[in-house]
Amino acid sequence: MKALFAATLLATAALVAPVAAQQPPAPAPAAPAPAPTMPTTKPKLIVAISVDQFAADLFAQYRNHYTDGMARLQQGVVFPSGYQSHAATETCPGHSTILTGMRPARTGIIANSWIDQRAGRTDKMVYCAEDERAPGSDHDKYQPSDFHLRVDTLGDMMKRADPRTRVVSVAGKDRAAIMMGGHHTDQMWFWANDHFVTLPSRSTAPVPAVVTRANDAVGKLLAAPQAALPLPGYCKGLARPITVGTQTIGAGQFQRAGGDTKSFRASPALDGAVFALAAGMIQDMKLGQGPGTDLIAIGASATDYVGHALGTQGSEMCIQMQQLDQTIGAFLAQLDAWGIDYEVMLTADHGAHDMTERQQQRAMPMEEHAAASNNAKLVGEAIGKAMGIPGPVLLGAEGNVYIADSVPQAKRAAVLAEARKRYLAMPQVAAAFTRAEIAATPFAKTPPETWTLLERARASYDAERSGDLLVLLRSRVTTIVDPAPFYVETHGSPWDYDRRVPILFWRKGMPAFEQPLSVETVDIVPTLAATIGLPVSGLDGRCLDLDAGAGDTCPQ
């Protein structure tokens, strides 16, 4: 553990050293190995990794440059066109699909945030991973909770089938750890500003020794300044400064001052800390060494923070991709050294594409920022003035538009009709669906790339939490009105650049193959469950056959 945690991931090696410095000498040429065959035994540990904002396009761009962990995973079963098939392509909904096998319409996680006018507080905005019932909680200062997740995760299912199963969830974000871990984790830890914390409802005394070690080591790393990370040769052509708002970015190498928590979070160092803690949990809890199969969910959040802060096409993201590859490689090498029989699944909660300003310079002049006039509050004020209704009239969150409870019942239908009419007249709006339209739409049964916008919206719709109107912007219109530090690029649209993610499975001895046709993230749970002989039913996803030959890993 010491080598991985202190030397490999956190101190210097995986964060700043060249790849060659971490690799053992090349072995002497060996005789050709026999053709691999599909393992017939159950893995002892499932390692489920989500790389936040790891778009299928980003994977395609860098897959030939990976030399370590990501290169290994490509030697398994690769689905380069996975889909977060719903419309609300945000962190919380996406993570809620990965280890539940269900779409947001069933997980209840329709967005990162929504409006609940029944919330007993002035701020009616509810965060997906909070418990708004907690005294003093609000959207910005909340109590993290699994309260809003309506379904079980794979870990919950495994523990119900065999109580001896251990389930751990570690992530760079609370919503990633919660939505992948579920309701019955043995340990759940996530990054909060400058250290790892857990849910208040699951706090333990004393804190596990591995968490204390992790927080101490990360604290020292965070307190010290970070020198510029090496720029790989294939990244040099991307190191071109660009002005976005009041800042110039695009050619950075992650140098930072000591104590700069925001820059630490938006850097490869955060992933190093998360994977180091995950490895420590595996070692201290002896995961993968018990009578059954254990599970650890790992939310690697740095790619998302880097994307939001610096975009996807500068030197910063290029370095992040190299460092993520090395960090995953060091982590898997440690599992190998411990002799654990493990199975890996890696995917993402959503995609993304680069910031508007750089896209406009690179053959995409039609890219644009959303207009401030799209704001639900402003639209509501105009409707209220025209119809003689005192405000507020409309409330908005993440494309969901709600008619305020203060609007008289006799005028609500007219307000909804007028709001829809006004939104559809806006040049940046692709669609505006009423809740009645969405609710009446059957769930799609066709490949996800063929779904209509209405079908994508249906997969994200919840009768209790969704708005009275769902407004979807046109393709290549970012929801960012004014870019700002740490927020120059985003996601959340119903378009394929935000929906498409890679899905990879790897286990030692697994024959490799690649399937370019579309699959969905909801297919992950039935696929993993089949490899450990766990019966599942009633899910939105289907089992994917991971046997490259005539065999079938899915139950018949």
Side-chain angles (χ1 to χ4, degrees), residues 46-64:
I46 292 175
V47 179
I49 302 171
S50 170
V51 178
D52 200 320
Q53 202 184 128
F54 191 37
D57 292 337
L58 196 60
F59 171 64
Q61 181 177 355
Y62 285 99
R63 65 181 301 182
N64 291 335

Side-chain angles (χ1 to χ4, degrees), residues 37-43 341 507-509 530-533 547 553:
T37 58
M38 194 70 189
T40 57
T41 58
K42 300 176 184 178
D341 180 4
R507 188 180 176 195
K508 186 177 181 180
T531 67
I532 59 173
D547 192 316
T553 59

Side-chain angles (χ1 to χ4, degrees), residues 28 53 92 184 204 209 309 327 351 440 459 467 540 550:
Q53 202 184 128
C92 219
H184 302 292
T204 57
T327 295
D540 291 329

Side-chain angles (χ1 to χ4, degrees), residues 170-186:
V170 179
K173 296 181 181 179
D174 53 11
R175 52 191 180 268
I178 291 168
M179 298 303 155
M180 291 178 70
H183 304 290
H184 302 292
T185 53
D186 294 272

Side-chain angles (χ1 to χ4, degrees), residues 406-477:
S406 58
V407 173
Q409 186 64 39
K411 294 188 176 183
R412 295 178 70 84
V415 167
L416 179 61
E418 182 62 19
R420 184 183 188 192
K421 176 183 175 182
R422 287 174 180 254
Y423 272 112
L424 289 176
M426 295 178 180
Q428 292 184 333
V429 171
F433 300 124
T434 66
R435 62 168 39 245
E437 286 180 292
I438 300 172
T441 301
F443 287 108
K445 297 181 180 180
T446 55
E449 69 272 21
T450 69
W451 290 12
T452 65
L453 285 180
L454 191 53
E455 288 172 327
R456 299 174 197 191
R458 181 66 183 91
S460 296
Y461 172 78
D462 178 87
E464 181 181 338
R465 296 171 181 169
S466 295
D468 297 291
L469 191 68
L470 177 66
V471 178
L472 302 176
L473 298 183
R474 294 186 183 278
S475 177
R476 298 175 179 172
V477 177

Side-chain angles (χ1 to χ4, degrees), residues 55-74:
D57 292 337
L58 196 60
F59 171 64
Q61 181 177 355
Y62 285 99
R63 65 181 301 182
N64 291 335
H65 293 296
Y66 297 131
T67 61
D68 204 335
M70 289 298 300
R72 183 199 295 211
L73 297 185
Q74 290 184 77

